[in-house]
Amino acid sequence: MEVVCVGSGYVGSVTGTAFAVLGYPTTIIDTDLRKVKEINRGNSPIYEPGLASCVSQMVSTSLLSATQTYDCVYHADVVFIAVGTPSKSDGTVDLKYVRSAARSIGEHLNAGKFTVIVNKSTVPVGTSDLVASIIEEASGLHNNRHFAVVSNPEFLREGYALEDVFFPDRIVIGTASHKAMKVMQKLYAPLVERTDYSGLFEHFAFPYNINSPKAVYFETDTKSAEMIKYVSNAFLSVKISYINEVARLCDSLGANVLDVAHGMGLDSRIGNKFLQVSSGWSGSCFPKDTAEILFESQKYGSELSLVKAAIESNVSMHDYCIQKIQRSLTSLNSKNIGILGLTFKPNTDDARHTQASYIIGKLVDLGANVAVHDPKGMEMFQQMNSHLPIRYCERPTDTAAGADALVLLTHWDEYRLLNWETIYWQMRNRYILDTRNYLKKLNLAELGFMYEGLGIQ
Ligand code: UGA
């Protein structure tokens, strides 16, 4: 089978490369010539652990290539749509790239061949029908006869994308077409069965557990598949907001949220994942997806009030962190604050819509001088936040020079490995706010720091 993947962003580049690794000749289409050239040179267009080595090997074996044109759609058996779905000013999803991809796919479909078009991007419920109608119009062909549209939402996490793609918990396939179901079953068979998996990933540097349970392959209708993606992300957001609120209560009551979360997670109905305290969830998925599903639910008179509460709680968690710093330093005016971590989580260069931009913006408004560091995300953060008058530091320790406070927002490994004794002597006032409770085991208080986490004593 020949695979085409439209879009080479965080989802598209990983999806396209993964199918090449599984042995399918794959072409990635992107309008951005720079990304196309990068891929064809064997370089990954994004930073994702392990992806660079996969792309390089797949391009060198000619299983993977990239192009700006849609000609390859003519020969394709399966065409993934993995383009960006940015938010409009009212918070709802802008489908202009999905529409345009569907139109171009329609213009290049082969009338003599059954092609499956797969929505991989996170799109509002009902988008598969929209895509089908655009393709019908552009091609003059009939949905579910000459082609079919499938919803196959992506559940990959940035930073663990390859592990999630090759070792997923579930593969959700939504379509009304029996023929498309068969094509998707065949396409995913090597992944579900893990055929030829032994040794396959040896040369790709990403962590995985070969003994993890096999993926559950779940078939449903398109709308339910689209919905599964949204409500899963919304559920996880609610779960994190809940533990974050519990952390605040622990601060007030003198309990320890690490133990509380551990104790809760021992109940298999609750589970121990996504109970890690933070200054709030952020990134390019949760804020966008919760806003969209809340909007949809309100539009149809079935408001997801828990999701609404989680969104509000999340912003108040950012504010709670600022209040903690304020409480410790009294006034923030002219205070030097170092920020460790700008990406929404470690192991990614993705600094879009992160809590860092909200928190830093407020600190600057309150008169603080802010110095920041991130191992991978500084360039993107700077592009997205050029209005912020802050100092970008090459080394994490540079943020500590003369600082009144250091705030850890993202738990990058390297921050735990810093020489904290040296940092002690660099700082003017030794206040550390660790919003991930990540440095707790270092016993920074014993070194003389005034160390605070969230919900820990
Ligand atoms: C999320 C979902 O986890 C994926 O399943 C989904 O495919 C993806 O969105 C998407 O829609 O494309 P991702 O945004 O990469 O993945 O990141 P997560 O690992 O889910 O983290 C999201 C945010 O929650 C981050 O800011 C993270 O720091 C925060 N978080 C996560 C916590 O604060 N505590 C936790 O316990 C877990």
Side-chain angles (χ1 to χ4, degrees):
M1 284 205 276
E2 284 188 32
V3 174
V4 165
C5 184
V6 186
S8 68
Y10 284 90
V11 172
S13 56
V14 173
T15 304
T17 308
F19 282 107
V21 170
L22 292 174
Y24 299 111
T26 303
T27 312
I28 291 178
I29 301 176
D30 203 295
T31 47
D32 186 339
L33 181 61
R34 190 187 59 84
K35 286 181 168 176
V36 167
K37 281 185 173 166
E38 277 298 305
I39 295 170
N40 287 333
R41 276 191 209 116
N43 299 326
S44 168
I46 56 154
Y47 172 73
E48 177 62 40
L51 189 61
S53 52
C54 287
V55 173
S56 143
Q57 286 188 45
M58 289 306 109
V59 170
S60 70
T61 53
S62 299
L63 275 168
L64 183 68
S65 62
T67 171
Q68 277 186 299
T69 69
Y70 279 74
D71 298 339
C72 51
V73 166
Y74 192 81
H75 299 284
D77 298 281
V78 182
V79 181
F80 284 93
I81 299 179
V83 293
T85 50
S87 295
K88 290 192 279 195
S89 53
D90 64 359
T92 59
V93 170
D94 188 344
L95 287 175
K96 64 181 173 196
Y97 301 123
V98 173
R99 282 202 180 87
S100 146
R103 210 167 302 117
S104 302
I105 291 167
E107 286 163 3
H108 292 82
L109 272 191
N110 181 346
K113 179 174 184 155
F114 182 76
T115 315
V116 177
I117 291 91
V118 187
N119 264 339
K120 234 343 170 187
S121 304
T122 301
V123 285
V125 178
T127 303
S128 294
D129 295 343
L130 173 76
V131 165
S133 65
I134 293 172
I135 295 177
E136 279 193 331
E137 208 180 288
S139 64
L141 302 175
H142 293 289
N143 183 26
N144 293 336
R145 181 138 50 99
H146 301 101
F147 72 93
V149 178
V150 169
S151 167
N152 170 215
E154 188 48 70
F155 300 109
L156 61 84
R157 297 158 300 162
E158 290 178 24
Y160 300 90
L162 290 173
E163 183 190 3
D164 287 348
V165 163
F166 290 115
F167 298 88
D169 290 339
R170 70 229 204 255
I171 294 162
V172 174
I173 304 291
T175 180
S177 159
H178 184 67
K179 209 166 164 186
M181 286 277 188
K182 292 273 166 232
V183 174
M184 294 307 285
Q185 283 166 11
K186 192 171 160 203
L187 180 79
Y188 272 109
L191 206 149
V192 174
E193 300 304 329
R194 297 192 183 168
T195 351
D196 301 329
Y197 256 35
S198 76
L200 185 61
F201 310 115
E202 236 164 50
H203 306 293
F204 307 138
F206 70 93
Y208 59 90
N209 174 9
I210 197 93
N211 299 317
S212 61
K214 284 190 179 173
V216 175
Y217 190 86
F218 177 55
E219 295 176 334
T220 179
D221 60 276
T222 47
K223 285 188 177 162
S224 302
E226 289 164 342
M227 183 101 168
I228 286 168
K229 168 67 195 221
Y230 272 107
V231 296
S232 296
N233 273 2
F235 182 87
L236 293 170
S237 307
V238 170
K239 195 172 180 188
I240 302 167
S241 282
Y242 182 65
I243 198 67
N244 281 345
E245 287 199 7
V246 169
R248 291 190 243 173
L249 188 58
C250 284
D251 270 344
S252 307
L253 298 179
N256 181 345
V257 77
L258 293 173
D259 287 354
V260 173
H262 180 71
M264 284 168 68
L266 293 175
D267 183 332
S268 60
R269 292 171 304 174
I270 296 174
N272 59 7
K273 293 187 177 143
F274 275 67
L275 288 177
Q276 204 179 86
V277 174
S278 61
S279 58
W281 40 267
S282 65
S284 53
C285 302
F286 284 4
K288 189 156 66 89
D289 295 353
T290 47
E292 173 63 29
I293 197 67
L294 177 62
F295 176 84
E296 287 288 317
S297 70
Q298 288 168 334
K299 187 166 133 194
Y300 291 99
S302 297
E303 184 182 81
L304 292 174
S305 61
L306 290 179
V307 176
K308 187 179 176 193
I311 295 170
E312 287 165 5
S313 166
N314 198 46
V315 178
S316 71
M317 196 63 199
H318 303 340
D319 288 327
Y320 181 73
C321 294
I322 297 160
Q323 284 153 18
K324 272 207 152 197
I325 308 167
Q326 253 175 329
R327 213 173 301 140
S328 174
L329 302 187
T330 321
S331 157
L332 295 186
N333 197 29
S334 301
K335 296 282 163 59
N336 300 329
I337 300 183
I339 300 285
L340 296 175
L342 300 171
T343 51
F344 73 115
K345 60 176 192 178
N347 303 319
T348 174
D349 63 350
D350 194 346
R352 295 172 292 174
H353 317 295
T354 69
Q355 62 271 64
S357 79
Y358 179 95
I359 291 172
I360 294 170
K362 291 264 169 160
L363 294 175
V364 167
D365 286 348
L366 291 164
N369 309 313
V370 180
V372 303
H373 174 268
D374 191 280
K376 299 272 181 223
M378 288 216 281
E379 199 183 321
M380 198 185 292
F381 189 84
Q382 197 162 9
Q383 272 167 20
M384 310 280 306
N385 299 280
S386 53
H387 61 287
L388 287 176
I390 55 179
R391 186 162 59 87
Y392 290 86
C393 301
E394 210 171 297
R395 291 169 307 181
T397 43
D398 296 342
T399 63
D404 296 291
L406 265 192
V407 181
L408 182 138
L409 291 180
T410 318
H411 49 303
W412 285 96
D413 260 354
E414 69 176 79
Y415 294 153
R416 193 151 40 186
L417 304 173
L418 289 173
N419 185 337
W420 286 93
E421 279 178 35
T422 311
I423 289 178
Y424 179 88
W425 294 110
Q426 284 177 296
M427 290 180 76
R428 183 163 74 175
N429 173 60
R430 280 93 188 189
Y431 174 69
I432 311 271
L433 177 63
D434 174 8
T435 68
R436 304 274 182 167
N437 295 335
Y438 185 64
L439 309 171
K440 169 124 175 61
K441 289 203 175 116
L442 299 182
N443 281 328
L444 293 179
E446 274 180 18
L447 286 180
F449 287 101
M450 213 232 291
Y451 171 81
E452 275 195 311
L454 299 175
I456 53 172
Q457 312 311 318

